[in-house]
Amino acid sequence: MFNLARKAFLTGIVATFAVPAFAADLALPPPVIEQPPIYEAPAPDYGGWYIRGDIDYHKPSWRGADYITYGPGTNSFTSGKLKGAFSLGAGVGYQINNHFRADLTADYWFKSDFEGHTVGSGCGGVPGTCTSNDSSSMSAWLLLANAYVDLGTWHGFTPYVGAGIGGAHIKWDTLHNSDTSGDYYHKGAKGWRFAYALMAGTSYCLTDRAKLDVGYRFSHIEGGRMFEESGVGVGPGFDDGFNVHEVRAGLRYSFGGPANGCYEPVQVVYEPQPEPLYTK
């Protein structure tokens, strides 16, 4: 009887202390923490069409010219120089991805004045050699298909290199030839010639779709007819072509992705927070 009473007493003591502890455990359930979703910003959209407009200052390098003379044969200009001039251009292109693009361009070269000299003999019936002064001007249309490699964008600046191939329509004005025997005029020639170009430059993001483009272009124009026969036993003449150095500036406007790299969406990435540790 005494043992039974002692067991009942001990069981009551254990129950008295166990119930509050069990209640405490029920009052502190494991915390439920909602983890915010992880958001990865989408990759920028680079593809799309664009248009461009350009202005430049170009300086053709004179490479010489020959002309036919009836009697002595073929003669050459002893010297020549083409002055620099401005040009206007326009084009349409497509940004293939963030590194490659291509466009078609048309540029009109305003007139470059030409001054040169030739040496002849027997001018005005006077024995011996004589030097003539020659003047004219040259204008052109340059049509090119171009491809470019954009080398990456840093703080809105995108350097690039490129190359183009196409044709140039060269138009010479009347050649004025003057020597001691008088003044002579030779009708200028015109026609299409093969052309190619190499270029390098940098573009800068002005807005999310517009870019300022500044660069250098080297153009080579093949030789062709310069002037026709004048009726005095001289002509036709043929120039040896031109190497043209151009400093260019223009604008490109994109209709596709946001300015082909000008706009970079802000990347917001939520990292899950670590669950708190509870100690008893």
Side-chain angles (χ1 to χ4, degrees):
M1 188 72 179
F2 177 77
N3 290 336
L4 182 59
R6 185 174 60 180
K7 290 179 180 181
F9 176 74
L10 293 176
T11 301
I13 293 176
V14 171
T16 300
F17 289 99
V19 169
F22 179 72
D25 289 341
L26 292 178
L28 295 174
V32 178
I33 300 176
E34 287 191 15
Q35 302 295 340
I38 299 176
Y39 169 72
E40 294 287 350
D45 181 10
Y46 289 99
W49 294 95
Y50 64 86
I51 57 174
R52 64 181 301 158
D54 300 280
I55 184 171
D56 82 12
Y57 180 81
H58 62 274
K59 179 67 172 65
S61 177
W62 173 254
R63 303 179 66 220
D66 303 318
Y67 56 94
I68 296 174
T69 57
Y70 296 93
T74 301
N75 206 345
S76 301
F77 279 77
T78 56
S79 65
K81 180 180 180 181
L82 276 164
K83 294 184 178 180
F86 287 95
S87 74
L88 294 175
V92 59
Y94 190 82
Q95 185 84 32
I96 301 170
N97 55 40
N98 61 329
H99 287 296
F100 299 99
R101 57 188 170 88
D103 58 32
L104 298 174
T105 57
D107 293 85
Y108 179 73
W109 293 353
F110 293 98
K111 291 182 179 181
S112 295
D113 292 332
F114 168 76
E115 295 179 354
H117 301 281
T118 58
V119 176
S121 61
C123 297
V126 179
T129 61
C130 60
T131 300
S132 68
N133 297 315
D134 300 87
S135 61
S136 183
S137 59
M138 183 270 292
S139 59
W141 280 98
L142 179 63
L143 305 180
L144 293 173
N146 309 288
Y148 309 87
V149 178
D150 292 329
L151 303 178
T153 301
W154 295 272
H155 305 290
F157 290 92
T158 305
Y160 65 86
V161 294
I165 188 171
H169 186 270
I170 302 297
K171 181 181 182 299
W172 281 101
D173 288 345
T174 298
L175 177 70
H176 177 203
N177 174 268
S178 176
D179 58 31
T180 55
S181 64
D183 295 314
Y184 304 93
Y185 297 90
H186 308 266
K187 181 181 179 181
K190 59 184 177 181
W192 285 98
R193 308 180 186 185
F194 173 76
Y196 67 84
L198 302 172
M199 62 281 287
T202 300
S203 63
Y204 177 73
C205 299
L206 296 176
T207 70
D208 61 342
R209 291 188 179 274
K211 283 187 176 184
L212 172 67
D213 192 323
V214 178
Y216 164 81
R217 183 169 74 181
F218 169 83
S219 303
H220 174 76
I221 312 298
E222 287 292 299
R225 182 167 289 199
M226 180 180 179
F227 59 88
E228 307 295 347
E229 198 274 328
S230 64
V232 294
V234 177
F238 302 86
D239 66 69
D240 296 332
F242 321 102
N243 291 327
V244 186
H245 304 277
E246 305 175 63
V247 178
R248 301 170 59 82
L251 293 173
R252 301 204 314 262
Y253 185 85
S254 171
F255 293 98
N260 307 318
C262 278
Y263 173 75
E264 295 286 352
V266 178
Q267 293 193 358
V268 181
V269 180
Y270 295 99
E271 296 289 347
Q273 299 296 322
E275 294 186 7
L277 298 177
Y278 290 94
T279 58
K280 294 183 180 180

